[in-house]
């Protein structure tokens, strides 16, 4: 099988021309020694991509690999397609790229660019996962020449890192049928000349971000070859490079996001999370964070959750569980079809919304376990007047469908409003919608209606903004100049006891000297603006005469207050 470099369609080996666009099959070429070095690096990247996908299939399921769940089989097929796609893509890129541009270059931005030959970004999303990459010389010549693929279905395991407050290396995850596997697993991967970028929601805890880094390092990516990109930041960076014609709503609304001094909100709506931050464009081209990331789990899968509740009210929770276990492929098909509807339903639509379901399988299970057909079961549910079945189609009244979206839409608009209510952000006039869920027309319409005085901008292929922005971030890691601290960080120490300031309950005596125990010494405060790469140096002396080495824990808190 080979991949057309024009339309990216897959073709059988017998075809000399693409069946979709008739482009000739690419021919492999030989190159110089430097070209061979590039091919070696490309092979390493390909190996890493394949193993990353393999690792994803492990993370997403608890069933032993030998059993092969439906999700694993599907992902194995995706691995093949990804591999074949990349082989053809690299043949084309490496044969056409000027060798001398791979390792050299002299532009005004070189001091801020990575020295790696290739930047590869991977997004393990809640609904979809994908990768993107570009060469260093491509970034210099055309930053938007980014090669992306978003073909991996992922399930909902990424949200385990947002919701779980106790993240450890022994954490386990479930697949649809409830099978278990350790979340942190992988195989060794040797990488050279490649900078890897993993994207994570900005609202994730430090522990969740560290878990992702540990997972990547365990998979064989060296620490120095790995960066973590915050998803709304990556999308913001990508939008800075886009021409106005690729920003829907920009032309007619007087788009000014790239002008120095402009403040704009980034609303990253992914499958699992809504991630919101505010940026200011600086005169040197960088970005300053004006509001640390805020959000919650009201992404696209929250709509899936409401739809799931409707299915449960129709056939009952026990039957849904049986359906998941006995026909996981059919269960996934329902939500794949629902995903298409989510993105395409128009706010002005009337009548019914139709999409395919595995009717035969679900009907048989209703007859076997409930003693009635699916249609008969529906007549006993609260939705007998708003849902019907015709052939293999489920037909839902459009008003019910809109109601399924309402809780998620309300949560998103409330989040945006709460941020805009801040005095320091009152002059933010532009809202940039990115992420796969932002492509939903109902979401776009709701935000435009709720904030009529704001300029609502949606980039083309908004679902790829984070992924492509992560590649741009990898090439130029210092695009974000400063951030607002999400927490107050500090350490625990002792200080000389002062009865006018300290609680007597925390008085301790060390070598005859009175100290106040368990003082929280702040290093940086919540909402404080901190330049990226800042280092805080503090000197402390030991209490008493001990010569033992002591360890100090770093603490964080979410409120601004003094602790003495």
């Amino acid at each position: 099988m080979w991949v057309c470099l024009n339309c990216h369609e897959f073709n059988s080996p017998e075809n000399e021309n693409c069946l979709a666009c008739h482009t000739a099959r690419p021919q492999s070429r030989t190159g110089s020694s430097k070209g061979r070095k590039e091919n070696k690096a490309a092979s390493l990247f390909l190996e890493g991509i394949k193993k990353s996908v393999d690792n994803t299939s492990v993370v997403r399921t608890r069933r032993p690999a030998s059993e092969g769940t439906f999700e694993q089989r599907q992902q194995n097929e995706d691995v093949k397609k990804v591999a074949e796609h990349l082989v053809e893509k690299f043949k084309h890129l490496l044969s056409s790229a000027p060798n001398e541009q791979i390792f050299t270059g002299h532009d005004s931005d070189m001091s801020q660019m990575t020295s790696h030959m290739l930047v590869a970004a991977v997004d393990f999303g809640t609904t979809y996962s994908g990768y993107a990459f570009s060469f260093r010389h491509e970034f210099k010549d055309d930053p938007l020449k980014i090669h992306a693929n978003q073909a991996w279905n992922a399930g909902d395991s990424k949200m385990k890192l947002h919701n779980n407050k106790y993240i450890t290396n022994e954490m386990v995850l479930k697949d649809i049928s409830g099978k278990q596997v350790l979340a942190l697993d992988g195989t060794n991967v040797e990488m050279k000349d490649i900078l890897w970028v993993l994207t994570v929601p900005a609202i994730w805890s430090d522990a969740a971000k560290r878990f992702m880094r540990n997972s990547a390092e365990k998979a064989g990516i060296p620490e120095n070859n790995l960066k973590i990109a915050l998803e709304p930041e990556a999308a913001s960076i990508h939008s800075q490079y886009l021409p106005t014609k690729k920003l829907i709503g920009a032309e007619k609304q007087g788009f000014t996001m790239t002008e120095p001094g402009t403040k704009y909100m980034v609303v990253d709506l992914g499958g699992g999370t809504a991630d919101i931050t505010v940026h200011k464009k600086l005169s040197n081209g960088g970005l300053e964070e004006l509001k640390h990331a805020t959000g919650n789990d009201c992404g696209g899968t929250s709509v899936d959750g409401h739809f799931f509740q409707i299915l449960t009210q129709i056939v009952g929770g026990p039957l849904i569980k049986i359906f998941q276990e006995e026909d996981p492929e059919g269960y996934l098909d329902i939500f794949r079809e629902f995903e298409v509807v989510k993105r395409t339903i128009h706010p002005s639509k009337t009548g019914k919304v139709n999409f395919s379901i595995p009717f035969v399988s679900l009907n048989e299970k209703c007859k076997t376990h409930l003693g009635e057909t699916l249609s008969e079961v529906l007549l006993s549910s609260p939705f007998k007047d708003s849902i019907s079945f015709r052939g293999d189609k489920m037909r839902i009244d459009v008003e019910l469908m809109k109601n399924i979206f309402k809780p998620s839409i309300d949560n998103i608009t409330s989040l945006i409003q709460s941020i805009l209510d801040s005095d320091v952000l009152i002059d933010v006039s532009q809202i940039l919608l990115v992420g796969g869920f932002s492509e939903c027309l109902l979401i776009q319409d709701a935000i435009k209606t709720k904030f009529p005085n704001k300029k609502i901008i949606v980039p083309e292929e908004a679902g790829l903004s984070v992924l492509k922005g992560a590649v741009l971030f990898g090439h130029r890691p210092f695009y974000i100049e400063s951030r607002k601290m999400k927490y107050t960080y500090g350490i625990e120490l002792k200080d000389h006891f002062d009865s006018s300031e300290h609680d007597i309950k925390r008085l301790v005596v060390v070598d005859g000297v009175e100290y106040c125990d368990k003082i929280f010494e702040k290093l940086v405060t919540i909402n404080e603006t901190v330049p990226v790469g800042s280092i805080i140096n503090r000197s402390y002396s030991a209490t008493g005469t001990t010569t033992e080495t002591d360890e100090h824990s770093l603490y964080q808190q979410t409120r601004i207050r003094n602790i003495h």
Side-chain angles (χ1 to χ4, degrees):
M1 182 174 288
W2 59 276
V3 179
C4 175
L5 298 178
N6 179 48
C7 68
H8 297 184
E9 285 295 323
F10 293 96
N11 293 270
S12 67
E14 294 78 20
N15 297 335
E16 292 301 323
N17 294 285
C18 176
L19 292 179
C21 68
H22 307 294
T23 300
R25 179 177 181 172
Q27 301 298 317
S28 55
R29 307 178 189 176
T30 57
S32 64
S33 60
K34 188 170 289 187
R36 288 192 292 273
K37 181 174 182 180
E38 295 169 21
N39 275 302
K40 180 180 179 182
S43 298
L44 290 172
F45 171 58
L46 175 58
E47 179 186 1
I49 283 287
K50 290 170 64 179
K51 291 190 176 181
S52 293
V53 182
D54 288 336
N55 293 344
T56 304
S57 65
V58 173
V59 169
R60 298 301 192 264
T61 174
R62 290 183 177 182
R63 187 188 297 271
S66 59
E67 294 186 32
T69 65
F70 166 72
E71 286 179 301
Q72 286 177 314
R73 294 196 302 273
Q74 181 186 42
Q75 287 167 343
N76 287 337
E77 287 299 312
D78 287 339
V79 170
K80 290 182 182 178
K81 292 181 180 179
V82 168
E84 291 164 352
H85 187 177
L86 282 179
V87 167
E88 297 296 335
K89 178 67 74 174
F90 274 116
K91 284 181 181 177
H92 174 73
L93 292 174
L94 297 176
S95 63
S96 62
N99 288 334
E100 65 274 9
Q101 291 186 348
I102 294 294
F103 301 103
T104 64
H106 306 281
D107 62 10
S108 59
D109 228 11
M110 282 296 294
S111 62
Q112 291 191 340
M113 284 178 58
T114 179
S115 60
H116 294 84
M117 183 185 75
L118 183 76
V119 171
V122 181
D123 177 13
F124 295 118
T126 304
T127 305
Y128 297 106
S129 293
Y131 69 87
F133 65 92
S134 74
F135 288 100
R136 183 165 173 257
H137 78 279
E138 290 179 319
F139 173 76
K140 290 167 55 184
D141 295 338
D142 181 5
L144 290 177
K145 190 175 182 181
I146 299 171
H147 315 278
N149 179 286
Q150 194 181 28
W152 312 335
N153 279 334
D156 68 347
S157 296
K158 189 174 179 182
M159 287 303 296
K160 302 296 184 185
L161 300 183
H162 171 60
N163 296 325
N164 194 342
K165 306 302 181 185
Y166 305 99
I167 294 175
T168 69
N169 289 345
E170 288 71 42
M171 184 174 65
V172 292
L173 300 175
K174 292 182 179 179
D175 70 359
I176 287 176
S177 61
K179 303 301 181 180
Q180 305 179 8
V181 77
L182 282 173
L184 181 60
D185 207 346
T187 55
N188 291 328
V189 181
E190 183 180 359
M191 290 291 140
K192 292 181 180 179
D193 297 325
I194 301 171
L195 178 66
W196 289 86
V197 182
L198 296 182
T199 65
V200 299
I203 62 172
W204 271 11
S205 67
D206 292 338
K209 295 170 187 174
R210 168 53 61 180
F211 182 89
M212 288 294 288
R213 177 174 286 277
N214 289 347
S215 299
E217 291 174 4
K218 186 175 181 182
I221 299 177
E223 181 179 2
N224 293 335
N225 287 54
L226 177 66
K227 288 189 178 294
I228 300 293
L230 305 184
E231 290 174 358
E233 289 187 355
S236 182
I237 292 171
H238 180 244
S239 299
Q240 291 289 324
Y241 285 88
L242 289 175
T244 302
K245 64 181 180 180
K246 297 221 178 254
L247 294 159
I248 301 170
E251 292 181 353
K252 63 182 180 181
Q253 297 188 21
F255 184 65
T256 58
M257 193 178 71
T258 57
E259 294 183 5
T262 301
K263 301 176 183 179
Y264 61 94
M265 175 182 290
V266 184
V267 181
D268 176 20
L269 303 177
T273 59
D275 222 355
I276 304 176
T277 189
V278 180
H279 283 159
K280 177 182 178 181
K281 181 73 172 183
L282 302 177
S283 58
N284 65 357
L287 295 173
E288 175 187 356
E289 186 181 62
L290 301 180
K291 176 74 172 70
H292 65 72
T294 303
N296 62 25
D297 54 356
C298 55
T301 54
S302 63
V303 178
D304 296 350
H306 300 308
F307 176 62
F308 177 85
Q309 292 302 319
I310 288 179
L311 293 179
T312 301
Q313 291 180 64
I314 293 174
V315 301
L319 188 90
I320 291 292
K321 183 174 178 60
I322 291 171
F323 188 47
Q324 288 177 321
E325 294 174 346
E326 296 183 358
D327 188 5
E329 182 173 357
Y331 179 83
L332 289 173
D333 281 342
I334 291 179
F335 286 93
R336 288 195 189 97
E337 290 290 327
F338 185 69
E339 180 69 23
V340 175
V341 172
K342 280 165 52 181
R343 298 196 182 209
T344 58
I345 181 173
H346 197 277
S348 62
K349 181 172 176 57
T350 59
K352 301 279 188 179
V353 176
N354 302 317
F355 61 95
S356 299
I357 64 168
F359 181 86
V360 173
S361 176
L362 193 53
N363 188 55
E364 286 299 319
K365 286 173 176 53
C366 285
K367 289 191 292 185
T368 299
H369 299 283
L370 301 180
E372 295 181 306
T373 66
L374 178 57
S375 297
E376 291 170 339
V377 172
L378 175 64
L379 292 176
S380 302
S381 78
F383 304 101
K384 62 181 180 179
D385 297 325
S386 53
I387 296 178
S388 61
F389 299 105
R390 179 174 294 177
D392 66 344
K393 303 290 185 183
M394 174 179 273
R395 308 189 52 181
I396 303 179
D397 283 355
V398 70
E399 292 306 316
L400 174 59
M401 180 64 74
K402 291 179 180 179
N403 284 336
I404 294 174
F405 280 80
K406 190 176 186 306
S408 302
I409 289 175
D410 290 346
N411 282 336
I412 292 169
T413 54
S414 294
L415 274 172
I416 295 174
Q417 186 65 65
S418 66
I419 295 172
L420 292 175
D421 286 341
S422 171
D423 291 339
V424 296
L425 302 178
I426 195 170
D427 56 345
V428 173
S429 61
Q430 300 177 112
I431 299 176
L432 179 70
L433 300 183
V434 297
F437 194 34
S438 71
E439 295 178 359
C440 170
L441 299 178
L442 289 181
I443 293 291
Q444 295 179 17
D445 181 71
I447 294 176
K448 290 175 183 177
T449 302
K450 178 71 174 179
F451 306 100
N453 298 323
K454 306 298 181 183
K455 300 172 184 176
I456 311 300
I457 312 298
V458 185
E460 289 185 5
E461 295 186 318
L464 291 176
S465 289
V466 169
L467 197 53
K468 292 186 175 183
V471 174
L472 296 170
F473 167 78
H475 282 294
R476 191 180 169 202
F478 300 104
Y479 206 105
I480 305 296
E481 299 278 341
S482 63
R483 295 188 177 96
K484 289 284 187 179
M485 298 307 299
K486 187 177 180 180
Y487 305 105
T488 293
Y489 291 93
I491 63 172
E492 178 186 327
L493 49 75
K494 296 180 178 67
D495 198 1
H496 290 284
F497 187 82
D498 183 344
S499 59
S500 64
E501 183 178 351
H502 299 141
D503 189 335
I504 191 66
K505 295 179 180 178
R506 287 193 282 172
L507 172 65
V508 296
V509 179
V510 180
D511 291 347
V513 180
E514 293 183 341
Y515 292 96
C516 178
D517 196 16
K518 299 186 180 303
I519 290 179
F520 181 72
E521 172 78 355
K522 289 185 291 185
L523 300 177
V524 66
T525 306
I526 188 172
N527 290 328
E528 181 179 342
T529 298
V530 177
V532 172
S534 295
I535 297 176
I536 298 175
N537 292 314
R538 298 282 178 87
S539 298
Y540 301 96
S541 57
T543 57
T545 57
T546 180
T547 58
E548 295 181 1
T549 301
D550 197 7
E551 293 184 355
H552 292 273
S553 298
L554 183 68
Y555 296 92
Q556 66 181 42
Q557 63 177 124
T558 56
R559 299 185 303 276
I560 303 176
R561 64 188 181 96
N562 294 322
I563 300 180
H564 292 294

